[in-house]
């Protein structure tokens, strides 16, 4: 399989006309969008995407063998051909999307929510290698970009952030990067490079697999359990970043106080800062999970399946927590695939509510919410018990799936809880493994 990774390198502040180039490119995209909306019926009749693109370019660009219908070349003289083609592609996509949404809206018969074609978009230019972008001398934090200085297109030397370049040399040395895309974040400009890798994921049989089951909790950021198919637990780890969470919760308290005094309309900047803290926390947690799984030679990382549909209800603190869970799973999946590990998800129902030893439902400790009390009176960490159940549900599903129907029915009769996946716990996996060994010996 192919994985695509990207990294943004900050362009350090200096006297280069990036802003003028960006404004010109967006003006070109806006002009082309307006042109193609007028002649879309003519372009729509061309089914082949490449031929449609060529026809669209002939409408705006004059050559020895072609006379353009519109004065695009006069309004944007000497525009590099690769940049012009990128703008054409973006404009065609915008108009095509608008027409499709408009047709769907018309067929639905709705009176409100009419789609609009946005001309003033946030398009970002691509700096194609050799014609728009050139690398600087080896070992130096510099590059050359072709930019518009208000009169003509010229090459400018740009300084790149030292730490970003060190990261690329350390982790991506010898791998070819795609053409960088200009990006603007928090009033800073970045060049985003993309790298494509061919990855072979592990094909270890289920009975020989080692998994890392992960419970993303509230009290503890993540609890990881290394487990074998027979239920043997090889390792456990509690991942927590209390100082980062305290910082984020402190900013939430300040926002609450500010909104009581000034209203919510003026707190956007504070919420943006809090979200950035939340994203950084998610990056740290994801990195720690994948490192622990790699250290223990795990073949699969198992998570709970999070409900992604519908509106997220609850307080903003709860929303931030759910957003972080989604972000952690997404980042873990990408990092795990790069290392050849697979990622799987199981049903989240009752993983924390049921005790891992099969004694039934648990009750939370009122004095310490991270602990729970089993029906036998045993006190145990709730997130650790949940991670056992998550790993057990993965193995129960994967062990039963390839079996013939008669053999599966026989095992389900001997271990009834495995029939209903939402009630399966760690103790059921141990019992299932015992019954499978007995059946095999017979």
């Amino acid at each position: 399989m192919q994985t695509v990774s990207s990294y943004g390198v900050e362009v350090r502040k200096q006297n280069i006309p990036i802003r003028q180039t960006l404004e010109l490119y967006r003006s070109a995209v806006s002009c082309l969008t307006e042109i193609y909306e007028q002649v879309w019926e003519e372009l729509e009749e061309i089914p082949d995407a490449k031929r449609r693109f060529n026809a669209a370019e002939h409408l705006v660009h004059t050559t020895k063998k072609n006379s353009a219908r519109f004065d695009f070349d006069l309004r944007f003289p000497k525009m590099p051909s690769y940049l012009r083609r990128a703008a054409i592609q973006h404009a065609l996509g915008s108009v095509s999307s608008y027409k499709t949404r408009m047709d769907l809206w018309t067929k639905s018969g709705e009176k409100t929510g009419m789609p609009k074609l946005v001309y003033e978009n946030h398009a970002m230019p691509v700096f194609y290698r050799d014609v728009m972008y050139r690398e600087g001398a080896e070992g130096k934090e510099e590059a050359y970009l072709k930019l518009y200085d208000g009169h003509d297109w010229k090459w400018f030397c740009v300084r790149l952030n030292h730490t970003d370049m060190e990261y690329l040399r350390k982790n991506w040395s010898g791998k070819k990067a795609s053409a960088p895309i200009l990006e603007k974040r928090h009033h800073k400009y970045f060049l985003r490079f993309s790298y494509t890798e061919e990855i072979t994921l592990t094909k270890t049989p289920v009975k020989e697999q080692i998994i890392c089951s992960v419970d993303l909790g509230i009290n503890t950021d993540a609890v990881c359990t290394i487990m074998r198919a027979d239920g043997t637990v090889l390792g456990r780890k509690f991942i927590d970043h209390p100082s980062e969470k305290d910082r984020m919760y402190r900013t939430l308290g300040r926002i609450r106080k500010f909104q009581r005094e000034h209203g919510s309309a003026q707190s956007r900047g504070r919420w943006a800062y809090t979200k950035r803290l939340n994203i950084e926390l998610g990056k740290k947690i994801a990195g720690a999970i994948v490192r622990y799984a790699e250290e223990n030679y795990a073949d699969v990382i198992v998570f709970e399946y999070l409900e992604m549909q519908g509106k997220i209800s609850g307080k903003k603190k709860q929303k931030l927590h759910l957003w972080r869970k989604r972000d952690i799973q997404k980042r873990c999946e990408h990092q795990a695939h790069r290392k050849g590990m697979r990622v799987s998800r199981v049903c989240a129902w009752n993983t924390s509510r049921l005790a891992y030893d099969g004694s039934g439902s648990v009750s939370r400790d009122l004095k310490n919410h991270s602990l729970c009390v089993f029906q036998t009176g045993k006190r145990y960490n709730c997130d650790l018990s949940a991670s056992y159940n998550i790993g057990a549900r993965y193995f129960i599903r994967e062990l039963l799936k390839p079996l013939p129907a008669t053999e599966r029915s026989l095992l389900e009769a001997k271990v009834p809880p495995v029939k209903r996946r939402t009630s399966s716990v760690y103790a059921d996996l141990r019992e299932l493994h015992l019954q499978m060994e007995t059946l095999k010996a017979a």
Side-chain angles (χ1 to χ4, degrees):
M1 65 172 293
Q2 283 189 343
T3 62
V4 180
S5 307
S6 67
Y7 189 82
V9 179
E10 182 182 348
V11 178
R12 297 174 62 183
K13 289 184 178 180
Q14 51 190 312
N15 189 22
I16 52 175
I18 288 185
R19 185 180 299 176
Q20 294 94 312
T21 305
L22 182 58
E23 289 175 356
L24 181 75
Y25 178 74
R26 288 180 173 176
S27 298
V29 172
S30 178
C31 174
L32 290 168
T33 304
E34 186 177 354
I35 290 171
Y36 295 145
E37 185 194 12
Q38 299 173 19
V39 297
W40 183 250
E41 292 182 0
E42 177 183 335
L43 293 173
E44 194 176 20
E45 295 177 355
I46 306 174
D48 184 63
K50 188 175 181 180
R51 288 180 55 222
R52 180 186 293 181
F53 177 84
N54 292 336
E57 187 176 22
H58 290 158
L59 289 172
V60 296
H61 181 54
T62 299
T63 61
K64 290 182 180 180
K65 297 181 180 180
N66 176 68
S67 180
R69 192 189 308 178
F70 299 92
D71 60 348
F72 178 82
D73 286 341
L74 296 176
R75 295 178 61 181
F76 302 95
K78 298 183 180 181
M79 191 172 187
S81 58
Y82 283 89
L83 202 63
R84 181 186 65 247
R85 288 166 184 164
I88 291 172
Q89 193 69 53
H90 189 99
L92 284 173
S94 297
V95 178
S96 176
S97 174
Y98 164 71
K99 293 296 183 180
T100 302
R101 289 183 285 113
M102 192 67 185
D103 291 341
L104 293 173
W105 181 80
T106 305
K107 291 177 182 178
S108 66
E110 296 182 5
K111 303 296 182 182
T112 58
M114 181 178 176
K116 295 181 180 179
L117 179 60
V118 180
Y119 298 102
E120 296 297 329
N121 50 56
H122 300 283
M124 304 299 285
V126 181
F127 289 93
Y128 291 95
R129 290 181 178 275
D130 299 330
V131 292
M132 295 291 294
Y133 169 82
R134 292 175 185 168
E135 293 182 351
E138 188 175 353
K140 289 188 177 181
E141 288 77 35
E142 64 180 21
Y144 294 89
L145 300 178
K146 200 169 190 179
L147 304 173
Y148 184 72
D149 65 352
H151 303 284
D152 200 0
W153 291 85
K154 298 179 181 179
W155 287 98
F156 290 86
C157 180
V158 298
R159 300 290 297 173
L160 304 176
N161 194 8
H162 172 73
T163 55
D164 291 336
M165 295 305 294
E166 284 295 317
Y167 171 84
L168 291 181
R169 292 192 192 104
K170 180 181 177 182
N171 296 278
W172 298 99
S173 179
K175 296 177 182 177
K176 188 176 180 181
S178 66
I181 301 175
L182 185 66
E183 187 179 78
K184 187 177 181 181
R185 287 188 285 122
H186 319 311
H187 308 289
K188 296 180 181 180
Y189 290 100
F190 296 81
L191 289 177
R192 180 159 293 278
F193 296 87
S194 296
Y195 300 86
T196 303
E197 298 175 285
E198 286 289 341
I199 303 296
T200 302
L201 298 182
T202 178
K203 297 181 180 179
T204 309
V206 178
K207 292 183 180 180
E208 300 174 11
Q209 283 181 2
I210 298 175
I211 69 165
C212 177
S213 59
V214 182
D215 178 66
L216 301 174
I218 295 177
N219 305 289
T220 308
D221 290 334
V223 178
C224 303
T225 300
I226 306 298
M227 189 183 297
R228 288 189 181 275
D230 60 355
T232 304
V233 175
L234 303 176
R236 301 173 296 182
K237 184 175 183 179
F238 292 81
I239 298 171
D240 202 17
H241 299 85
S243 59
E244 285 82 354
K245 285 193 293 187
D246 285 346
R247 186 182 298 116
M248 190 175 67
Y249 294 155
R250 188 164 62 249
T251 59
L252 287 172
R254 290 174 181 170
I255 290 172
R256 202 157 41 240
K257 182 179 179 181
F258 180 85
Q259 289 183 163
R260 281 198 298 265
E261 297 175 358
H262 305 282
S264 59
Q266 302 178 28
S267 61
R268 291 182 180 177
R270 289 171 170 81
W271 275 119
Y273 174 68
T274 307
K275 288 179 181 178
R276 291 199 292 273
L277 291 177
N278 195 42
I279 291 171
E280 287 302 315
L281 179 57
K283 290 179 181 178
K284 290 183 179 180
I285 298 169
I289 291 171
V290 176
R291 280 195 301 273
Y292 183 65
E294 186 182 20
E295 289 169 3
N296 290 273
Y297 308 101
D299 300 295
V300 186
I301 300 178
V302 185
F303 291 102
E304 292 177 320
Y305 175 76
L306 299 177
E307 294 290 344
M308 301 295 184
Q309 303 297 325
K311 186 178 179 181
I312 305 172
S313 60
K315 296 180 180 179
K316 203 61 176 280
K317 182 177 177 181
Q318 293 172 324
K319 292 182 181 181
L320 286 171
H321 180 68
L322 182 55
W323 288 331
R324 184 164 71 244
K325 282 189 172 182
R326 295 177 180 178
D327 187 55
I328 289 169
Q329 290 200 14
K330 184 178 178 182
R331 293 181 186 278
C332 280
E333 184 170 6
H334 180 75
Q335 294 180 29
H337 284 170
R338 285 197 61 210
K339 298 179 185 300
M341 292 183 284
R342 295 182 181 272
V343 173
S344 185
R345 294 174 176 84
V346 298
C347 180
W349 290 6
N350 299 324
T351 52
S352 299
R353 189 177 299 172
L354 297 177
Y356 78 92
D357 61 356
S359 58
S361 58
V362 302
S363 57
R364 291 274 182 164
D365 192 314
L366 298 178
K367 295 181 180 179
N368 188 348
H369 200 64
S370 62
L371 296 178
C372 61
V373 181
F374 296 176
Q375 291 187 6
T376 57
K378 181 178 181 179
R379 289 162 58 86
Y380 207 77
N381 185 281
C382 192
D383 295 336
L384 184 58
S385 174
S387 71
Y388 288 172
N389 292 339
I390 291 169
R393 287 187 181 182
Y394 167 79
F395 275 125
I396 289 172
R397 181 185 68 198
E398 297 301 319
L399 288 171
L400 291 177
K401 187 164 57 176
L403 296 179
T406 53
E407 189 175 344
R408 191 187 311 128
S409 300
L410 182 61
L411 289 170
E412 288 175 351
K414 293 184 177 181
V415 192
V418 301
K419 201 173 201 179
R420 182 180 172 86
R421 203 69 49 76
T422 56
S423 61
S424 300
V425 295
Y426 174 75
D428 301 326
L429 172 63
R430 299 299 298 266
E431 182 63 25
L432 177 65
H433 179 265
L434 181 63
Q435 294 297 333
M436 290 181 73
E437 289 297 314
T438 304
L439 191 62
K440 184 178 178 182

